[in-house]
Amino acid sequence: METILSVRDLAVSFHTYAGTVQAVRNVSFDLKKGETLAIVGESGSGKSVTSKAIMRLIPNPPGEITNGEILFDGKDLAKLSEKEMLKIRGRDIAMIFQDPMTSLNPTMTIYKQIAEGLKQHQGLRGEDAKKRALELLTLVGIPNPEARLKQYPHQLSGGMRQRIVIAIALACNPKVLIADEPTTALDVTIQAQILELLKDIQQKTGTAIIFITHDLGVVANMADRVAVMYAGKIVEKGTVDEIFYEPRHPYAWGLLGSMPRPTDDPNQALPAIPGTPPNLLNPPKGDAFAPRNPYAMKIDFEKEPPMFQISDTHYAATWLLHPQAPQVTPPPAIIDLALKYRPDSAFAKSIGKGGAE
Amino acid sequence: MEREKLLEVRDLKQHFKIGRGRVVKAVDGISFDIYKGEVLGLVGESGCGKSTTGRTIIGLYDATDGDVIFKGENVHDKKSKAEKLKFNRAMQMIFQDPYASLNPRMTVADIIAEGIDIHGLAKTKEDRMNRVYDLLETVGLTKEHASRYPHEFSGGQRQRIGIARALAVEPDFIIADEPISALDVSIQAQVVNLMKELQRDRDLTYLFIAHDLSMVKYISDRIGVMYQGHIVELAPADRLYENPIHAYTKSLLSAIPLPDPEHERTRKRIIYESKSLGAVGRSDEDSSIPPLREVEPGHFVSLTDAEYEAYKAQLV
């Protein structure tokens, strides 16, 4: 499949009074046409900063892209001037923000907010713009669109507002849509509607989606491929099945294990990840996850693990994949899933062997 | 064996006047019991009245109507200061937002010891600090944290301080209003484990209010589902998941995405069409909601006569 966006060794730092915070530390990934790539991680893992860097929305100062390339359409977005970026932002790459309450302008009608992008990028005016705005509202499933165009954000519910935000993002048929926690502020039933809408739109328009979230349920539902971020780095990436059924990084194990499932025995403690994420003012030496990692080895505290390749699509940065590493047994929840869905995978077999020893 | 009822809520109503004679019926006649030592989960979407229920029970709002009976006494009738004090000590609350619920100008020690001071639980200054240190250790923090201020802590640590504050007066009953929704995934499990452990060690009873159904299922013995100010289904946690009966419960359960791609590919969402016209609980008109019926032991569902007949027919 054709790659349409390629991020290479991206690093973003913020200069604060306390020192330099290395929010994103050499992140690389490709986005293919029409696919959904989910970036998962906790707050502070750098997932939102990565997406804002792609949109060049990092405020400078204090923020700065210190390294790397963002290749899109033959251009390196990291090096474009603000004027050139204006032509791409909102037209080729659009963004949906987390909180529909704050990402809409309360003093502008819905029509004005949708028409902004249409005017700027496509030169649509008057009746043409209105026609397109109506089309967009219909596409995102808003009933009675004529009346809605004249309304203000406060007259709409949270779910409706998020649909408006999506309509604005779709206005110029972007090739890449970045959705930064688009459903976190919404109720589960509304979340389900918005996710269905995004999938439906992707099928119709073929846009590629970068979906940023901390909810692994949403990832399982939406993603084709997944990148797991921790402390400003991608620690594991692969297809959605590889990440859920053959995960290799202990952080991915921890995240997957700490999600309660309806089948869990309530008398057993949830397998929580101990401790808290590291401070990126002084990123730790070695593997940043080592202090919280029950499987950590001596080398984890000393040397940063490289990305080990597991399959054509699956990579993980953990020393456990080194040929000399000892065989370890992942948490029970991970083993259960692997044996249930991928009993023939190399991963499932390796766990079986680990258990026998 | 008859279990001891710790809390009885009888036809509780909480209506808010919003001007021009309009009334929001946030909680509109709900009844339930909480037994000693159990965890009752209360779930529902935003605006369904679950938080209002918790806040009304503890007396942050004066109930519009209905009774709250705690340990056999009607608590909202209490007028004397001494009686109120006694009640406040027995019932505590943990709030959703650990950033907003701790006073930024107070040290952690003073935050935790506020209840100890009010109730005069510590004889000496030394005793007071020892209690604070014990509490900090109980919730997984250290002695050194006592002299710091809330801004020096992460969200998960702050929520631990909030839990220590609630425990300080040795309550029997704790209302936890979305205690983990503001926390990261990896931290949520830590806090839930802590709450479960404390419940076992100290024989606590919880009302656990949340919208994250997977977590509620994990921590609760029984779960009540709220919709527009009413409880539509109340059942043991397992039964609610295995055999949801109310259409709203079904839709809610079917909307949760699980961390399992194969399951997600086949999951079918059930859509709940609200039968009521307009928003129940938000209009002045009296919304008639069918009564709760016990369809199996301990499993209550709000069903109309016709729905109940249909349910029984389907069982045969």
Side-chain angles (χ1 to χ4, degrees), chain B:
Chain B
M1 190 187 76
E2 185 69 3
R3 292 167 71 196
E4 190 191 336
K5 279 180 193 169
L6 186 71
L7 183 87
E8 294 172 59
V9 174
R10 290 282 158 267
D11 205 26
L12 189 71
K13 288 183 184 168
Q14 182 66 61
H15 297 178
F16 295 105
K17 294 198 177 90
I18 53 167
R20 291 191 211 139
R22 285 182 300 175
V23 175
V24 172
K25 298 179 176 175
V27 176
D28 201 20
I30 66 170
S31 304
F32 58 87
D33 298 327
I34 301 181
Y35 297 98
K36 197 166 174 13
E38 81 162 345
V39 179
L40 179 74
L42 209 50
V43 295
E45 295 179 84
S46 39
C48 72
K50 56 190 191 301
S51 287
T52 306
T53 303
R55 288 167 161 259
T56 307
I57 290 173
I58 204 169
L60 287 174
Y61 303 135
D62 286 326
T64 309
D65 197 12
D67 297 316
V68 175
I69 297 155
F70 184 64
K71 290 185 176 171
E73 292 176 67
N74 191 330
V75 292
H76 288 179
D77 286 348
K78 297 235 175 304
K79 288 288 173 278
S80 90
K81 227 177 170 180
E83 279 173 319
K84 271 209 164 140
L85 211 57
K86 197 178 119 211
F87 166 66
N88 287 344
R89 191 178 158 189
M91 193 187 289
Q92 284 288 311
M93 189 145 179
I94 299 168
F95 295 91
Q96 170 172 8
D97 185 350
Y99 292 85
S101 59
L102 302 178
N103 187 336
R105 290 163 175 261
M106 283 165 80
T107 62
V108 168
D110 288 339
I111 289 172
I112 294 176
E114 203 174 10
I116 298 177
D117 298 343
I118 289 170
H119 296 279
L121 302 183
K123 303 276 174 303
T124 60
K125 262 194 175 154
E126 208 188 333
D127 183 19
R128 178 180 183 265
M129 285 318 284
N130 283 336
R131 279 172 183 257
V132 170
Y133 296 151
D134 280 350
L135 286 162
L136 282 172
E137 264 160 44
T138 309
V139 298
L141 297 170
T142 63
K143 249 171 129 166
E144 287 71 42
H145 290 128
S147 55
R148 297 203 201 159
Y149 287 88
H151 75 263
E152 298 172 66
F153 294 89
S154 67
Q157 286 175 318
R158 284 180 209 221
Q159 204 53 296
R160 287 172 191 268
I161 297 169
I163 294 172
R165 170 175 63 184
L167 293 176
V169 294
E170 293 156 8
D172 303 309
F173 179 54
I174 292 180
I175 298 176
D177 186 3
E178 307 240 13
I180 51 165
S181 10
L183 307 175
D184 263 319
V185 208
S186 76
I187 310 297
Q188 285 189 354
Q190 290 178 10
V191 172
V192 165
N193 283 341
L194 171 66
M195 286 186 66
K196 270 209 123 154
E197 205 182 289
L198 290 170
Q199 189 218 357
R200 261 190 305 250
D201 295 352
R202 302 185 168 222
D203 197 21
L204 291 168
T205 306
Y206 290 141
L207 175 64
F208 192 91
I209 301 168
H211 67 262
D212 178 340
L213 286 114
S214 321
M215 210 48 111
V216 173
K217 156 82 169 47
Y218 176 74
I219 195 166
S220 308
D221 299 306
R222 292 188 302 141
I223 298 175
V225 179
M226 278 189 79
Y227 181 66
Q228 298 190 342
H230 300 273
I231 288 185
V232 295
E233 189 155 2
L234 179 70
D238 297 342
R239 292 308 292 161
L240 191 82
Y241 276 77
E242 286 158 13
N243 185 25
I245 293 167
H246 197 279
Y248 178 68
T249 314
K250 285 182 185 167
S251 85
L252 207 56
L253 289 174
S254 74
I256 317 170
L258 293 182
D260 183 344
E262 292 285 359
H263 173 270
E264 284 305 301
R265 274 170 215 139
T266 52
R267 178 165 62 90
K268 284 270 175 295
R269 189 158 69 86
I270 301 164
I271 293 165
Y272 178 62
E273 305 281 354
S274 172
K275 282 185 208 81
S276 52
L277 295 169
V280 183
R282 281 167 198 279
S283 66
D284 293 284
E285 282 129 67
D286 198 39
S287 48
S288 63
I289 182 123
L292 286 177
R293 299 165 194 269
E294 189 163 13
V295 294
E296 57 184 349
H299 190 157
F300 299 87
V301 191
S302 156
L303 294 174
T304 60
D305 290 338
E307 284 168 338
Y308 187 47
E309 291 307 321
Y311 171 73
K312 278 196 294 193
Q314 158 237 308
L315 283 184
V316 184

